[in-house]
Structure formats: C-alpha cells, structure tokens
Amino acid sequence: MSRFFDAIAPVRYEGPDSSNPLAFRHYDPDEIVLGKRMADHLRFAVAYWHAFAYEGGDPFGGPTFQRPWYPQDDMARARLKADVAFQMFDILGVPYFCWHDADIRPEGATFAESLRNFEAIIDYFGDKMAGRDIGLLWGTANMFSHRRWMAGASTNPDPDVFAWAAATVKTCMDATHRLGGQNYVLWGGREGYETLLNTDMARELDHMGRFLNMVVEYKHKIGFAGTILVEPKPQEPSKHQYDYDAATCIGFLRKYGLEGEVKLNLEQGHAILAGHSFEHEIAVAAAEGMLGSIDMNRNDYQSGWDTDQFPSNVPEVALTYYHILRAGGLGTGGTNFDARLRRQSLDAEDLIAAHAGAMDVCARGLKAAAAMLADGGLETALRDRYAGWDTPRAQRMLNSDLDALFQQVLAGEIDPQPRSGRQEWLENHVNRFV
Ligand code: XLS
Ligand code: NI
Ligand code: NI
C-alpha cells in the first residue's frame, strides 16, 4: 500500500465560509443544479499522465519531483503508482480518471512485452475499481512520445508505423472497453508536419481519415458503447497540426464520413493556442451536435505555450459551462483536468490542493452558469436581437434570390436601421452572476 497521501484527510464540502484550504467551498456533489446532481453535470476526471507520470521537467531542466514510484520503468513501481493514484481519487472523491497506455505501464523491449505490462496494470485497475465508485472517463494511446512516432502515427510516411499505431489503438480500445470507459480519445500530437518540403499533406489526411474509420469499425466490432472523441490542437508538438480547432476537425470528420460517429474533446488551452476563446470552441461543436467532453486546463496567456495549468478563473469557466448547459450537457463526456503542477510545486499536498481548487472553480462556474440560464436575461437578449428573423417577411427574404432582393432594395422597400449590440450591457449582466 502507498503512504504517499497518508497525512491528507479526504476533501469534503464545508460550505462557502470554510477557511480550510483542503475543503470544497462550492463543490457539493449532491447539490441539485437545474434538476441534476452537481457531480453528474461536471463528471470530473483526474489525468493520470500529469498527476503521476509528469516528473517536473521543462525544456530547460530535468525532473524536480521525487516520487517513490520513479523511475517509471518497472512493474512494481507501476503498481505503486496505481496505489497512489487510487488513494488520491479517494481523497478527492472524483468520479473518473483518464490515462494513456504509456502513463500506466513501463515500456517493454517488444510490443508484446509492453502489452503484457499494460494488461497487468489494467487488471490491477479493474480490481481497484471494483471496490470503489470510480469509472474511466476515457483511455487513449500515447502516440507522440516514443521516437517511432516522431513523423506521426497514422500520418507517418512509413506504413509500418501506421500498422503499429493501429495495433496500439486496438489494445487501448480493448482496455478502455474492459474498464467500462465512457469514451475513447484520439489526440494527434504528431499528426501534422514541420515542413511542407517533406510532407504530402493530402495523402497524410487520407491516411488519418482511413485510420479513424478503422477505429470506428473496431468500436462496433467489439461492442464498445462509449463515444469516440478527437481532440483539436493547432500546434505543439507539430508545427502545423491537422486537427487545428473544432471547425477544422468538423470539416475533416465530414469529409471522411465520420460526423455521426465521432465527437470532440475540447481543451481550453488548445482553444487559446488556436486564438479562440474556450466558449467559442464549445459553441462551434455544439452547433454541429459534436460536443463530446472537455479538458479543463488553461494556458498562461503570455507564454504562448500549452502550459496545462489548473483552472482558476471563475468568469471564464462560467461562460464555458453556460455554453455546455445550453448545448444540453456533456453526455458521456466530463471535465478532465489535463493539468499539471508547476515544477516548483513539489509536495503531495500540492496535488490535492490543485485538484480540489480546480473542482471548486468549476463548481462555482457551473452554479453561475445555471443561474444565468435560470435568469434567462441572456437568452431574452439573444431572442430580441434576432426577432426580425421570426417574421414571414424575413423568411421570404431567406428563400428569395439576389435579383429579387436587389429589386426590393432599389425600390426603397428595404432600409436597414442599425441597433445597438449592447455588448457592455450584456457583460455587466454576466458580472452579476460570477
Ligand atoms: C496535449 C493533449 C493531451 C491529450 C491526450 O496537449 O491535451 O494531453 O488530452 O492525449
Ligand atoms: Ni493539451
Ligand atoms: Ni488534452
């Protein structure tokens, strides 16, 4: 058994007046928000890779953390890491977690040995999950760290890497299915390119489309009931990534006939890298019925990197959940903290404080979003702004043609009168709730 978190008591809801730094002030899992338990709206997940596999390195320096399960190249220590992980899930009371294959098992000398290690840990997870109220939000394959993936996985110019990627995803889908995973995620970290001088982009996109179709075929073959998700990101590690943002992914999914099969896992930090707000990405996906799940980790607005920080800005988070609630919620998805500690945050308590604080920020955001929806002010303003379109006259315009509209305008029958967009009024309105 692990002793890593032994000194830390379970984090519990103590209400807004509590000054206990390791208590929830807003996250009360059983509180009913818009007819549903808060926990069932938010569906929090811990990301195994950042919480337990990240060692505190950055491009300028090596590991700063010293954990009893390092180095991560041995099965006994992989089990210890799992013990610690489940101890943290218990302390936080989170309903879900997520992993990549590479986070949870040591890499073997061969594919078969890596698979044996992986399956042993999946069995170990299965035993631990049996006695607990914790599920797998999603599994995924790390097809970006090992050198074999340096030129991509399904988009690699070498067909043997495509085959290795297919084999890898098969094993990760099997494991996700086995643990009752709610979703399966594909993030294409190296599905992109560094220079067009050596890249046949059209061919690579076709291969990626074929690969994703294989994933969907396999999902149906094994009877996996979860949702297949792709995760947009514009760059990093690739200079140009094919799954740039929500709109790009939606175009890609439609081109390869996958729009009814695959949804999006959207990440706040990736939205920022793409020059969008997070609510923009949520709204784009929602408009197409493709909102799947979220990675609720922000970037530093100044650094231009994917810094994967825990959320701390309530107004931003509130607008995110406002658009999620408007879209009907997260379905099989959830709120995954794809977030890591800063490399100076060395202590076991730091991991708990980071997650507990992030859960509280999300709970505050959700409650503010629900209050905004219940108030209805924003919806009314939106309806009023477009009210002109509810008239038969406007509907006739939509079904008209350029020439007929030209004749009406020329005859002076149409004379637009600009109206205020009232942005500041609406911003003030939002500030009443956050
Ligand atoms: C990296 C991605 C990654 C995915 C899972 O930027 O966010 O962590 O969520 O592969
Ligand atoms: Ni990311
Ligand atoms: Ni992510």
Side-chain angles (χ1 to χ4, degrees):
M1 251 324 283
S2 137
R3 317 208 59 86
F4 189 67
F5 290 119
D6 272 5
I8 305 176
V11 180
R12 294 291 174 255
Y13 176 71
E14 293 184 5
D17 298 330
S18 169
S19 59
N20 175 356
L22 292 184
F24 297 124
R25 271 174 287 280
H26 301 276
Y27 180 59
D28 177 4
D30 294 319
E31 182 179 330
I32 302 296
V33 176
L34 298 177
K36 202 157 105 178
R37 288 174 70 240
M38 204 187 267
D40 298 334
H41 278 288
L42 293 164
R43 295 164 60 82
F44 288 129
V46 169
Y48 210 93
W49 51 105
H50 287 311
F52 310 110
Y54 171 59
E55 299 186 348
D58 73 7
F60 302 91
T64 55
F65 303 159
Q66 294 172 335
R67 309 295 198 212
W69 57 94
Y70 297 170
Q72 302 178 68
D73 58 358
D74 160 277
M75 277 303 282
R77 288 192 292 270
R79 286 198 187 84
L80 173 63
K81 180 163 56 169
D83 293 341
V84 169
F86 279 79
Q87 202 186 3
M88 187 171 97
F89 305 155
D90 291 344
I91 290 171
L92 292 170
V94 280
Y96 294 105
F97 70 115
C98 302
W99 45 252
H100 302 85
D101 50 356
D103 312 324
I104 64 175
R105 56 100 177 108
E107 181 95 21
T110 61
F111 184 92
E113 189 189 339
S114 293
L115 180 59
R116 270 196 305 280
N117 293 346
F118 181 53
E119 287 177 338
I121 296 292
I122 293 296
D123 285 344
Y124 198 60
F125 281 0
D127 292 346
K128 288 179 173 292
M129 289 166 76
R132 290 179 163 87
D133 202 8
I134 181 141
L136 178 65
L137 185 64
W138 44 266
T140 189
N142 178 329
M143 300 196 295
F144 43 88
S145 293
H146 192 281
R147 66 192 291 277
R148 81 173 63 84
W149 311 118
M150 68 180 190
S154 69
T155 62
N156 202 292
D158 178 353
D160 287 359
V161 178
F162 181 99
W164 197 287
T168 302
V169 169
K170 179 222 180 293
T171 62
C172 289
M173 288 178 76
D174 287 343
T176 302
H177 186 36
R178 148 104 218 275
L179 296 181
Q182 303 277 302
N183 309 271
Y184 184 82
V185 167
L186 295 110
W187 168 61
R190 304 216 185 254
E191 309 290 37
Y193 67 89
E194 302 302 313
T195 171
L196 273 182
L197 294 174
N198 66 10
T199 303
D200 182 345
M201 185 160 58
R203 186 195 281 254
E204 291 198 358
L205 284 166
D206 281 349
H207 293 171
M208 195 160 97
R210 178 68 199 119
F211 191 87
L212 205 48
N213 268 286
M214 287 183 182
V215 168
V216 167
E217 285 159 18
Y218 191 66
K219 163 190 158 151
H220 293 301
K221 182 170 163 187
I222 63 174
F224 174 58
T227 313
I228 304 291
L229 303 172
V230 293
E231 184 174 323
K233 184 175 183 181
Q235 74 269 335
E236 195 187 287
S238 300
K239 175 167 167 55
H240 297 271
Q241 231 154 276
Y242 294 138
D243 48 11
Y244 193 94
D245 62 359
T248 311
C249 284
I250 290 166
F252 173 86
L253 293 174
R254 287 197 189 290
K255 177 169 180 197
Y256 294 99
L258 291 161
E259 65 273 20
E261 293 280 2
V262 178
K263 293 185 174 178
L264 305 181
N265 181 43
L266 299 168
E267 176 166 319
Q268 189 196 10
H270 299 181
I272 294 170
L273 283 180
H276 300 307
S277 67
F278 199 22
E279 62 267 25
H280 168 88
E281 290 292 85
I282 305 274
V284 168
E288 301 285 336
M290 290 191 199
L291 174 60
S293 196
I294 60 169
D295 279 3
M296 187 50 114
N297 42 286
R298 68 191 168 92
N299 283 4
D300 184 303
Y301 283 104
Q302 281 128 50
S303 76
W305 289 4
D306 192 14
T307 53
D308 288 330
Q309 291 171 247
F310 286 88
S312 64
N313 183 321
V314 175
E316 278 181 1
V317 168
L319 287 177
T320 301
Y321 284 112
Y322 183 76
H323 285 274
I324 288 172
L325 290 175
R326 275 189 94 217
L330 288 169
T332 63
T335 301
N336 174 43
F337 297 118
D338 189 354
R340 58 189 150 87
L341 293 176
R342 300 306 88 194
R343 70 196 288 273
Q344 298 178 53
S345 302
L346 302 179
D347 301 340
E349 287 82 359
D350 292 325
L351 261 177
I352 304 297
H355 284 89
M359 291 163 76
D360 239 13
V361 165
C362 290
R364 270 180 80 181
L366 176 79
K367 285 194 284 188
M372 286 193 275
L373 264 187
D375 167 85
L378 290 177
E379 293 299 320
T380 306
L382 207 57
R383 249 195 328 275
D384 287 352
R385 189 154 189 246
Y386 291 86
W389 283 105
D390 297 334
T391 62
R393 172 175 172 273
Q395 290 307 307
R396 276 197 301 280
M397 286 179 186
L398 264 190
N399 296 315
S400 182
D401 58 51
L402 295 189
D403 209 24
L405 292 173
F406 163 75
Q407 295 299 343
Q408 283 176 269
V409 171
L410 188 67
E413 288 165 27
I414 288 173
D415 182 19
Q417 298 297 320
R419 289 174 55 194
S420 171
R422 297 171 78 92
Q423 179 170 336
E424 296 79 2
W425 283 74
L426 297 169
E427 287 166 352
N428 295 349
H429 179 88
V430 168
N431 280 333
R432 280 174 40 205
F433 297 88
V434 297

